[in-house]
Amino acid sequence: MIDLSSNEAASLVKLATRGAGYPWGVGEEAAYASRWFAEHQVPSLSVFSQLLEWSDHYSLEALTIDLGAKSWVGRSGDMCPLLAGCSISDLASRLDQGQSIVLEKVVFAIVLLPFFHLVSLELQSPITARWADGELKCDAATQGSISTSDSVRDQLQTRHTPRTITIIRDDLISDSLQSWPIAETLRVSVDVQSLNGLKQLAHRTYAPATEQSRLSGAGAGTSDND
Amino acid sequence: MHDNRMSDTPPYAGPKQDDKTLPQSSAHNAPASPAQWRSPADVMRLSRLGSFHQCRLSFMRILTRRMQREKWHLSTQEFAIDDNGVGHALYSMQGPDRTYTLIAFAHDLPDELRSDRVIATAWDATFALFDGVPSTEDVTRLSKNVPVQEAGRVSPTELTLSRANRSVRLWEHVVSELAQGRQPDTELIDSVGYLMRTTAVYGSGKFGASDRQGIASRSEFSAPFQAEMLTVYLIRTFVRDLVQHMAHCRGGDATAKLSPTIARGLGIGNSTGLGMAPFLINHPQLFNNWIVVREEALVRVRNQPSATKQQIECFENVLERSVVSVDNWHSAHAIQAEKIVELKRDIESLRQHTASMNLSDEFPWNRLYEWGAENLCVEAQECLVSLMMEPYGDIIDGLDECMSAPDTGIPRIDGAMSLAQLADLIREHYSWALAIDWDEKESSARAWYVSEEKLEPRLGERHEEPIESYEQPLAPARDIVQLYRVITELNAELLTAEFLMQQPQHRYAVRRLQLCARSPYAEIQDNTISAALVPFDMLRCKLAFFGAIHFDPRSDRWLRICLYANAPYPEELAEADADTWVYPQLPVKP
């Protein structure tokens, strides 16, 4: 395993997200999610490596979501959690008005958690996500912000997660749930395969060197040894 | 002492601030106050940002004031460097709560390998700032990683990673003169200003170092870039000691000790390239906070109804010392050389005008500022802004705590806004960008990209090089105008969230627009991809906040500066002037 700073991991995630075909603005949100993961002991780079490997098979248009009135549906069938998270965050006010947001077939649902945090922060209220056999509460005002069961935590680490997730502004939830652990340090541990996968995606954002670029791009040409 | 935080003052009538700890404009405190924050349309132009000077709130001066106030001292030292200049040295600065150690590695670098560019792979000296006092094992570990810089890895106990090269013009001269028992030529010293120049000072988690978030709660790091500034401060001390050591190795007992006065005048040079330019665009909230604090400091001074004799003397003193500093500012770059000529001319006008006006009452500083705005070039206007702040440390210095940006994750996009509201925001805050003729090829002549080679940020010619598909998001003006063109063709009632799901490529522009609408000084109000762009204006602005002087552009996209010239060394901190040292002492009259 390789040890990275949270900032290094977030920078890599941002570039890899862009390299995988998402726009820069979504890359900023992915970087935010990576930082949130580092604080919450989620293996950020492993999650993003798998997510971006999955999304790399689709065009950006295919990954977009139909934000229907009753439920949101990914145009490719499965739903991209990154774009879903962005829209949940954008539409925080919808939850404030008592409406729910229903997501169908989200993959890597753990990526939604940093966005739940943003919504809870904005609404200054807990929000709840429920599905057939699990639930979690996000309250940005509490340490760790997420409360859930151990089995849900395990479930969220996998790609295939519940078919239908309903998100509401609601603090009525079982008190028996466990707080999500907070990391003592901000370090990110990553396996070589995930790291290399993300680096390859990030590499797509770098322009191949040309002689013109080498000579003029960074402004050389004047002595720098005097 | 005044309470400088301003947390209980009436709200600024202008745009809403995102960060509650930021000062609100104090102009509304007193009905008779003549001055308010200057307009972003004036301040945020690159021509003005690229004319900023160091001031009381510069990060180096914040650090030296703190170190003196808190009685920081050099607590341990090791200097294990051989006659060839190879080895390591440790310099520990002990503050009230913690100790930080500069670990310096000195190398015997062949001349042909010396380069200031990011693509270099070897340096005369390499450094890390260690959080605490390193063990022998730490030094051994770092000896394998720090000398190779980007190719190595450091750990959370390291706060910065840096390197420096000798000035060929000065190093050998100083070594050989001292070795022969003589002091170096002061004219040559003044013309260069430093024995070594750093070519990068990495912090914030780079190459495995500690994240800023991990140290941001320490009071000594509450202001921006304090770990980096401490690194350079200690590098300067090491370099002074190294040159003396090398002279002694050559000259033995006959070697002269470098005169403390000459040593005091030596700073650390720095070569800064395009890598720094994107910072101001990539950190809009932080940049806003820097400018807000500077504007607030200026307003507080301009709104002083009168000035005491002592305050006037302080101003006149730093004005005279500035003249000396400007006389030592040399640049062969045509643009900067002309600006220096104009500055010299206008600083003389300023002296004459100051001598002729009564500074004791009737809002003297506001009158002086307004005269300057009418009669001085922008370079001299901004120099005047810095000088006017000098007598007022008691009402300005506490603002330094407002210069960081709190870690709030990411600015959330308000997706409930309609496209009509979004378009209104653009018309209100980006009229300057809408006014640019984007159909002109020159308006989008450049593109920022990162080269595959050593991941170096570069600026290329969009219409001549195959770089557009690799473009970095560093052209907010163009991006927001593109957003405007798209949304004004769509249903005005559509929600921003729905629009962004259909066209997620506009998320960057929408987030930026909403943030900049709340933070008036977050955006450079110029076209950053224009054929007319002078990139070093962006570098200079940031470096002025560091406290750099003597900006010397070497092309339109990299420049050299000098840091810490005239600053007291650690052993002098207790007694010396730890605040206005940046202004050279006036020559003693015969």
Side-chain angles (χ1 to χ4, degrees):
Chain A
M1 299 294 278
I2 297 154
D3 170 70
L4 273 67
S5 70
S6 173
N7 192 33
E8 280 180 298
S11 300
L12 177 59
V13 164
K14 179 177 169 182
L15 291 177
T17 303
R18 172 66 182 144
Y22 290 92
W24 283 113
V26 178
E28 291 177 321
E29 262 130 344
Y32 154 72
S34 173
R35 287 198 181 87
W36 191 93
F37 283 158
E39 290 169 25
H40 292 79
Q41 297 188 9
V42 176
S44 159
L45 297 190
S46 166
V47 170
F48 272 101
S49 162
Q50 293 174 69
L51 168 64
L52 297 178
E53 189 185 345
W54 166 81
S55 69
D56 205 28
H57 297 295
Y58 301 96
S59 68
L60 180 62
E61 192 184 358
L63 292 170
T64 59
I65 299 164
D66 181 2
L67 306 179
K70 289 190 174 174
S71 64
W72 295 4
V73 180
R75 292 189 209 283
S76 72
D78 288 340
M79 185 182 292
C80 167
L82 197 49
L83 292 183
C86 291
S87 286
I88 293 166
S89 164
D90 294 353
L91 289 168
S93 60
R94 188 175 280 187
L95 295 171
D96 207 24
Q97 293 154 8
Q99 298 178 45
S100 60
I101 291 174
V102 180
L103 313 178
E104 302 288 352
K105 293 179 70 178
V106 188
V107 297
F108 304 108
I110 198 165
V111 175
L112 296 172
L113 302 190
F115 298 94
F116 289 167
H117 180 94
L118 279 183
V119 173
S120 171
L121 206 59
E122 171 67 16
L123 301 182
Q124 298 188 340
S125 158
I127 61 167
T128 302
R130 289 198 173 92
W131 54 97
D133 55 351
E135 62 179 0
L136 64 80
K137 181 169 83 172
C138 176
D139 184 355
T142 65
Q143 176 87 348
S145 75
I146 303 285
S147 308
T148 190
S149 64
D150 289 346
S151 62
V152 166
R153 277 189 64 201
D154 293 342
Q155 191 184 15
L156 284 172
Q157 311 277 348
T158 62
R159 172 184 159 177
H160 290 287
T161 43
R163 187 170 183 83
T164 304
I165 299 180
T166 303
I167 305 155
I168 50 171
R169 173 179 171 158
D170 179 15
D171 55 1
L172 299 174
I173 195 167
S174 166
D175 288 336
S176 63
L177 300 180
Q178 308 294 312
S179 287
W180 200 282
I182 289 285
E184 285 180 12
T185 69
L186 292 171
R187 307 304 284 189
V188 175
S189 194
V190 59
D191 61 281
V192 174
Q193 192 183 351
S194 297
L195 185 63
N196 288 341
L198 290 171
K199 280 185 174 175
Q200 280 171 18
L201 289 171
H203 195 268
R204 295 180 188 171
T205 67
Y206 307 141
T210 63
E211 199 51 34
Q212 182 175 1
S213 144
R214 216 169 276 138
L215 285 175
S216 65
T222 319
S223 167
D224 62 352
N225 181 17
D226 57 0
Chain B
M1 285 286 282
H2 291 66
D3 174 8
N4 290 314
R5 297 296 300 276
M6 294 297 295
S7 55
D8 56 353
T9 51
Y12 172 55
K16 185 184 139 206
Q17 290 296 322
D18 220 14
D19 170 10
K20 303 293 189 290
T21 64
L22 269 180
Q24 307 290 303
S25 170
S26 59
H28 298 267
N29 274 344
S33 300
Q36 298 187 11
W37 292 352
R38 295 180 295 178
S39 158
D42 181 21
V43 177
M44 300 309 290
R45 298 303 304 270
L46 268 179
S47 56
R48 185 171 294 276
L49 296 171
S51 298
F52 274 18
H53 291 251
Q54 67 75 36
C55 71
R56 295 198 65 83
L57 293 161
S58 298
F59 306 148
M60 286 194 300
R61 293 179 61 183
I62 291 172
L63 176 68
T64 55
R65 282 198 301 264
R66 172 184 289 279
M67 290 195 297
Q68 183 178 65
R69 189 173 66 241
E70 296 181 346
K71 300 184 170 54
W72 289 44
H73 63 280
L74 203 59
S75 60
T76 60
Q77 209 169 342
E78 184 183 344
F79 199 89
I81 293 178
D82 67 18
D83 291 0
N84 295 317
V86 178
H88 76 270
L90 306 179
Y91 287 76
S92 295
M93 275 303 271
Q94 189 174 344
D97 302 317
R98 295 174 197 85
T99 298
Y100 300 98
T101 303
L102 180 81
I103 305 179
F105 296 97
H107 311 288
D108 187 12
L109 182 72
D111 281 347
E112 64 272 19
L113 290 184
R114 188 174 295 112
S115 167
D116 287 1
R117 291 195 60 189
V118 170
I119 53 176
T121 55
W123 302 269
D124 285 312
T126 53
F127 311 93
L129 186 69
F130 188 88
D131 189 0
V133 178
S135 65
T136 308
E137 290 74 25
D138 288 320
V139 175
T140 303
R141 170 177 59 85
L142 292 169
S143 72
K144 294 169 185 154
N145 288 282
V146 172
V148 293
Q149 296 280 295
E150 293 97 333
R153 294 289 296 168
V154 290
S155 79
T157 51
E158 285 77 62
L159 306 184
T160 65
L161 180 69
S162 179
R163 69 287 189 105
N165 282 333
R166 294 172 185 172
S167 162
V168 170
R169 291 167 290 172
L170 211 49
W171 184 269
E172 174 55 28
H173 170 75
V174 174
V175 171
S176 73
E177 290 301 303
L178 291 177
Q180 294 174 68
R182 295 190 296 263
Q183 292 297 321
D185 176 4
T186 50
E187 273 189 31
L188 186 61
I189 296 247
D190 288 345
S191 72
V192 178
Y194 51 81
L195 286 164
M196 278 199 191
R197 54 180 174 264
T198 54
T199 67
V201 183
Y202 295 115
S204 298
K206 301 259 173 55
F207 309 107
S210 167
D211 281 293
R212 163 148 177 91
Q213 205 182 335
I215 57 168
S217 61
R218 301 180 187 181
S219 60
E220 61 268 34
F221 295 139
S222 59
F225 289 101
Q226 293 298 282
E228 290 85 348
M229 296 298 105
L230 177 59
T231 303
V232 177
Y233 179 74
L234 291 173
I235 288 174
R236 173 172 173 258
T237 307
F238 163 73
V239 169
R240 175 200 59 176
D241 295 351
L242 182 65
V243 81
Q244 187 71 55
H245 170 76
M246 296 310 292
H248 191 265
C249 290
R250 193 183 299 178
D253 291 344
T255 306
K257 182 176 185 299
L258 180 63
S259 140
T261 308
I262 293 176
R264 183 69 90 81
L266 287 165
I268 282 290
N270 173 270
S271 284
T272 295
L274 278 182
M276 186 176 271
F279 183 92
L280 298 180
I281 303 175
N282 285 334
H283 298 83
Q285 188 65 60
L286 184 65
F287 189 34
N288 175 75
N289 297 0
W290 294 2
I291 305 282
V292 163
V293 163
R294 196 169 174 279
E295 287 303 304
E296 173 62 15
L298 174 60
V299 161
R300 290 181 183 190
V301 175
R302 289 174 63 189
N303 286 339
Q304 295 298 307
S306 60
T308 64
K309 185 166 176 283
Q310 197 179 15
Q311 286 161 339
I312 295 167
E313 282 173 1
C314 171
F315 172 78
E316 289 173 344
N317 176 260
V318 290
L319 174 57
E320 291 304 314
R321 289 160 68 188
S322 269
V323 173
V324 178
S325 182
V326 172
D327 277 344
N328 282 334
W329 184 357
H330 309 284
S331 177
H333 194 277
I335 294 175
Q336 189 59 53
E338 189 182 335
K339 286 177 83 175
I340 294 172
V341 169
E342 289 174 357
L343 176 61
K344 283 182 179 170
R345 179 199 67 206
D346 283 4
I347 213 165
E348 184 54 37
S349 301
L350 176 62
R351 283 166 92 181
Q352 289 174 14
H353 183 74
T354 307
S356 71
M357 73 181 280
N358 177 3
L359 280 170
S360 60
D361 58 10
E362 295 176 48
F363 295 99
W365 306 112
N366 191 54
R367 283 189 287 125
L368 185 56
Y369 176 82
E370 288 183 343
W371 173 84
E374 290 291 320
N375 294 284
L376 302 177
C377 63
V378 175
E379 179 87 47
Q381 287 175 26
E382 292 306 316
C383 180
L384 172 61
V385 166
S386 295
L387 295 176
M388 278 168 43
M389 292 183 197
E390 293 298 350
Y392 292 99
D394 59 338
I395 57 170
I396 289 176
D397 293 351
L399 289 167
D400 61 9
E401 293 190 18
C402 303
M403 295 183 91
S404 292
D407 176 35
T408 52
I410 187 170
R412 195 188 67 85
I413 289 175
D414 178 5
M417 204 176 259
S418 69
L419 295 189
Q421 290 172 301
L422 218 49
D424 283 345
L425 278 187
I426 295 174
R427 282 188 288 268
E428 185 181 349
H429 297 282
Y430 283 84
S431 56
W432 58 272
L434 291 170
I436 295 168
D437 182 357
W438 292 98
D439 295 328
E440 282 290 326
K441 227 177 164 184
E442 286 76 17
S443 297
S444 59
R446 306 275 183 71
W448 294 87
Y449 66 97
V450 172
S451 79
E452 184 178 53
E453 214 172 31
K454 256 211 148 184
L455 310 185
E456 184 183 43
R458 290 177 182 173
L459 188 60
E461 301 300 322
R462 177 189 314 276
H463 307 302
E464 296 166 22
E465 299 174 71
I467 49 176
E468 190 164 31
S469 60
Y470 303 100
E471 186 171 11
Q472 294 278 311
L474 295 167
R478 179 207 54 197
D479 293 349
I480 284 173
V481 170
Q482 281 181 349
L483 170 69
Y484 184 79
R485 287 179 176 175
V486 170
I487 63 177
T488 48
E489 294 294 317
L490 297 173
N491 175 1
E493 299 308 311
L494 192 66
L495 292 185
T496 295
E498 293 165 338
F499 163 69
L500 287 177
M501 182 50 79
Q502 292 165 14
Q503 303 200 39
Q505 68 271 25
H506 293 290
R507 285 194 78 78
Y508 171 82
V510 170
R511 184 184 347 271
R512 191 161 191 103
L513 168 65
Q514 292 184 342
L515 184 147
C516 293
R518 297 188 296 267
S519 303
Y521 301 98
E523 194 79 281
I524 294 169
Q525 296 199 8
D526 261 308
N527 179 4
T528 51
I529 52 170
S530 161
L533 173 72
V534 181
F536 66 61
D537 282 336
M538 298 158 86
L539 310 181
R540 157 126 181 219
C541 176
K542 186 181 177 197
L543 293 166
F545 274 102
F546 284 8
I549 58 170
H550 295 174
F551 306 95
D552 177 16
R554 308 285 292 174
S555 79
D556 70 340
R557 50 196 79 185
W558 71 282
L559 52 72
R560 286 205 184 132
I561 52 162
C562 191
L563 302 163
Y564 285 116
N566 300 310
Y569 285 89
E571 71 275 11
E572 301 168 326
L573 259 181
E575 303 296 330
D577 172 10
D579 186 12
T580 60
W581 49 262
V582 70
Y583 302 100
Q585 291 300 321
L586 296 171
V588 180
K589 289 177 186 161

